[in-house]
Amino acid sequence: FYSTPDFNNNVGTVTINGNVNTQVRNGAIGFYYAGTSTANPPVDLSAYLAGLISINSGTLNVDIDANSYLFGITKTAVNLSSLNNIHLTGMNLTGSEKILVNNSLLTLDIDSNLDYLNNTGNKQYRDLGISYSSVTINPGITVSGTEDNQVGIAQVSSYPPVSLINNGIISLTGENAIGIYGQNATLINNGTINLGSSINGTGLYTDASFFGSGTSTNNAVINMGQDGIGIYGKTNDYAAITLNNFGIITGTGNNSSGIYINNVGNSATANLTLSSASNIDVKNSLNGIGIYTNNTDIGGTGAGTITVGQNGVGVYAKNGTTTLNNLTLNLFGNNSVGIYTDGTNSFTGNGTINVDGTGVIIFNISGTGSFNQNFNITSTPGSSYAFGNIKNTTIYSNNSTTIGANGIYI
């Protein structure tokens, strides 16, 4: 059932006289609504049905199989809560109540659970078919799940890019969980993404396809567990990605990384922007990495704070240009490395480096890029560290360096 509005926004009406039996099968759609703009107020599908269908007598029986949809909507804004109880007096619905959302703006205004193996919580969001649509989780709303391979929000877009925004809480505990995934999309976390119990979880995952672009911004909190990544970005040929961290990323499991960017596409670009509010803490992660970049330019108004633990690396940068101003780098574990540059990476940085551990290397400099630093280094009693490990390059140190007990300059 579908009616196209005329120039006065009037729609036709289907009149039911007597019992009517309708079967929706093989991926078909029972009812369809086409809006004009996602900027308009959210659609009320029950009100739309009341205007579309007039039941004078009898009953409209609609039976929908598991592969089909009760409603298809496009080019409109819609609240998740309004999809839970679509009804029309005189209509009897049986079977699937799934809804297909295309090229629209979906707002999650009720808590949602993604699990299939239990009846916990509301499952409406889990069962939606969503394509080329922006999705927003409202403040105070939680999207949760306990099973493997779950994603809080996921969309693949082309042009214009869609926006995927978390203002609430995404809490996933299964393996390989992703808070927000977007291809050629804008990802924003203004709330909390909890993946602390997930193995190999990723908070924000940005993917840019051939000639595509993607952006990820963390303004709030991302918690990750073993083998987890707070913000991840990758490119394909001629693509561009931009990652921003203006919030807190915490890793509690081994081998976790705060930010990981793998720019391998031909003629692709990748940029990472930090601010003074950026705080990446993987001190409780054995082998943790604060920032790992390949073919990426790093900059921003400030670098914030990076803290690593045993065998950790504060920043690894291969190729590209790295500028870290006013960075506080805490090396709080044995055998940790502060700044590791490789390939053609050109590095400029200043701030404070705090050492609490033995066998620490402040700067590991390899490749052919330039290296200019103006850091003040402090260490706790009993710590031991080497200021620099240099291969095939030259280091320019623009300040006086005081080597504490058990320290080695080069």
Side-chain angles (χ1 to χ4, degrees), residues 319 340-345 364-370 390-394:
N319 306 327
Y340 190 138
T341 62
D342 201 357
T344 60
N345 184 267
N364 194 93
I365 309 164
S366 183
T368 59
S370 61
I390 303 172
K391 181 181 179 181
N392 300 326
T393 191
T394 302

Side-chain angles (χ1 to χ4, degrees), residues 179-233:
I180 305 177
Y181 170 85
Q183 184 179 91
N184 307 323
T186 298
L187 284 59
I188 302 175
N189 178 45
N190 295 323
T192 299
I193 298 177
N194 280 326
L195 306 177
S197 298
S198 173
I199 298 174
N200 198 39
T202 304
L204 301 177
Y205 188 132
T206 296
D207 182 8
S209 65
F210 187 70
F211 278 104
S213 62
T215 302
S216 278
T217 301
N218 176 42
N219 294 315
V221 177
I222 299 175
N223 298 316
M224 54 186 170
Q226 179 180 331
D227 300 316
I229 299 174
I231 306 176
Y232 178 79

Side-chain angles (χ1 to χ4, degrees), residues 299-310:
T301 57
T305 301
I306 299 172
T307 305
V308 300
Q310 184 176 347

Side-chain angles (χ1 to χ4, degrees), residues 136-405:
T136 297
I137 301 175
N138 274 354
I141 300 303
T142 297
V143 174
S144 61
T146 63
E147 298 165 11
D148 295 346
N149 304 309
Q150 292 179 331
V151 184
I153 306 174
Q155 282 294 280
V156 175
S157 180
S158 53
Y159 185 83
V162 298
S163 296
L164 311 176
I165 303 173
N166 174 43
N167 295 318
I169 298 173
I170 298 174
S171 181
L172 307 175
T173 60
E175 293 187 15
N176 308 313
I178 299 175
I180 305 177
Y181 170 85
Q183 184 179 91
N184 307 323
T186 298
L187 284 59
I188 302 175
N189 178 45
N190 295 323
T192 299
I193 298 177
N194 280 326
L195 306 177
S197 298
S198 173
I199 298 174
N200 198 39
T202 304
L204 301 177
Y205 188 132
T206 296
D207 182 8
S209 65
F210 187 70
F211 278 104
S213 62
T215 302
S216 278
T217 301
N218 176 42
N219 294 315
V221 177
I222 299 175
N223 298 316
M224 54 186 170
Q226 179 180 331
D227 300 316
I229 299 174
I231 306 176
Y232 178 79
K234 73 170 186 176
T235 62
N236 289 282
D237 291 349
Y238 305 101
I241 57 174
T242 300
L243 276 64
N244 308 301
N245 188 50
F246 309 138
I248 299 170
I249 301 174
T250 303
T252 55
N254 294 341
N255 308 309
S256 61
S257 300
I259 299 172
Y260 194 110
I261 304 175
N262 192 22
N263 178 20
V264 296
N266 182 40
S267 299
T269 61
N271 291 277
L272 170 62
T273 301
L274 306 172
S275 75
S276 59
S278 172
N279 189 339
I280 301 171
D281 187 350
V282 292
K283 66 176 177 293
N284 293 321
S285 173
L286 182 67
N287 307 315
I289 300 174
I291 297 174
Y292 178 102
T293 64
N294 181 30
N295 298 312
T296 302
D297 291 337
I298 305 175
T301 57
T305 301
I306 299 172
T307 305
V308 300
Q310 184 176 347
N311 300 336
V313 178
V315 177
Y316 174 89
K318 183 176 182 180
N319 306 327
T321 300
T322 300
T323 302
L324 298 173
N325 291 316
N326 300 313
L327 171 66
T328 298
L329 177 58
N330 299 316
L331 306 178
F332 290 168
N334 298 338
N335 306 313
S336 56
V337 177
I339 308 292
Y340 190 138
T341 62
D342 201 357
T344 60
N345 184 267
S346 296
F347 178 88
T348 301
N350 57 73
T352 301
I353 299 176
N354 301 307
V355 177
D356 184 5
T358 60
V360 174
I361 297 176
I362 306 298
F363 304 120
N364 194 93
I365 309 164
S366 183
T368 59
S370 61
F371 194 96
N372 294 275
Q373 72 84 26
N374 189 19
F375 285 94
N376 294 313
I377 303 170
T378 64
S379 62
T380 60
S383 295
S384 64
Y385 64 91
F387 178 79
N389 181 20
I390 303 172
K391 181 181 179 181
N392 300 326
T393 191
T394 302
I395 182 172
Y396 294 92
S397 184
N398 300 320
N399 68 338
S400 60
T401 301
T402 301
I403 304 299

Side-chain angles (χ1 to χ4, degrees), residues 103-118:
N103 197 21
S104 294
L105 168 60
L106 172 67
T107 298
L108 275 62
D109 57 343
I110 56 174
D111 292 345
S112 301
N113 185 273
L114 304 178
D115 290 344
Y116 285 90
L117 301 179
N118 60 56

